[in-house]
Amino acid sequence: YLKVMATREAMLAAPADQLLGRSVSDVLPPAAAATVMAALAAAGHKGFDYGRTFSLPLPQGESHFEISVTRKRAVEGQVARFVVLSRDVTARKTFELELQARNEELERFNRATVGRELDMLEMKKRIDALCIELGRDPPYALEFLDDKGEARP
């Protein structure tokens, strides 16, 4: 870290003055540091990188961040330098996780519902077949099914 600017210092891994002169592996948990280093490597190669996310355990709870990295114009004799912007995406991540959980619940419900519907169709086909054997009119109109018992398109 050569320079640190933060509108909300509480969202930093450490106070800004404690970050200066240290590397990301010195101050971030291993997984977060690996994400930042991968973004720096990609930006070193193609000039920029964005969209990578990582989590940090902060005093106020686990927070999620998305980073954008740009390689600065090279100055002769200096090692590569980067500008790294970090955005708090905790609310978005929380919403995404909640949405994923609800989607999984809907998928389970859909599988159960489809299974019940298929069972009901089988039962109706059996009842219709028994009625025909007894010489009665079948009570269910299943003309929408093809010869295999599946709904026609």
Side-chain angles (χ1 to χ4, degrees):
Y1 291 89
L2 301 174
K3 186 174 184 179
V4 177
M5 296 173 58
T7 56
R8 298 185 326 185
E9 195 164 302
M11 300 304 288
L12 295 174
D17 61 340
Q18 292 178 19
L19 295 173
L20 296 175
R22 298 175 76 191
S23 72
V24 293
S25 353
D26 293 337
V27 294
L28 296 179
T35 299
V36 174
M37 294 306 292
L40 291 169
H45 177 70
K46 62 182 178 184
F48 64 91
D49 189 70
Y50 58 89
R52 295 176 194 256
T53 61
F54 61 89
S55 301
L56 279 183
L58 296 176
Q60 62 271 27
E62 183 175 42
S63 296
H64 303 276
F65 299 90
E66 179 179 88
I67 58 173
S68 298
V69 182
T70 300
R71 183 182 61 224
K72 290 181 74 173
R73 190 171 294 152
V75 175
E76 195 171 322
Q78 275 188 344
V79 296
R81 292 183 176 200
F82 302 88
V83 174
V84 180
L85 299 175
S86 176
R87 287 172 291 289
D88 177 11
V89 293
T90 304
R92 182 185 83 192
K93 186 72 169 178
T94 301
F95 179 75
E96 287 173 354
L97 292 171
E98 185 178 315
L99 188 60
Q100 179 183 358
R102 288 185 180 190
N103 191 45
E104 288 169 1
E105 184 179 338
L106 282 172
E107 286 176 7
R108 282 191 306 274
F109 177 77
N110 186 47
R111 282 191 301 274
T113 303
V114 167
R116 277 194 210 114
E117 276 299 312
L118 293 174
D119 290 345
M120 289 296 292
L121 280 174
E122 283 303 314
M123 183 187 70
K124 289 177 179 181
K125 286 193 280 185
R126 285 187 195 141
I127 291 171
D128 278 0
L130 288 171
C131 285
I132 290 169
E133 277 184 40
L134 294 171
R136 296 183 184 169
D137 291 332
Y140 300 107
L142 301 176
E143 294 83 24
F144 63 93
L145 297 176
D146 62 15
D147 294 339
K148 297 177 184 174
E150 297 175 4
R152 289 189 179 114

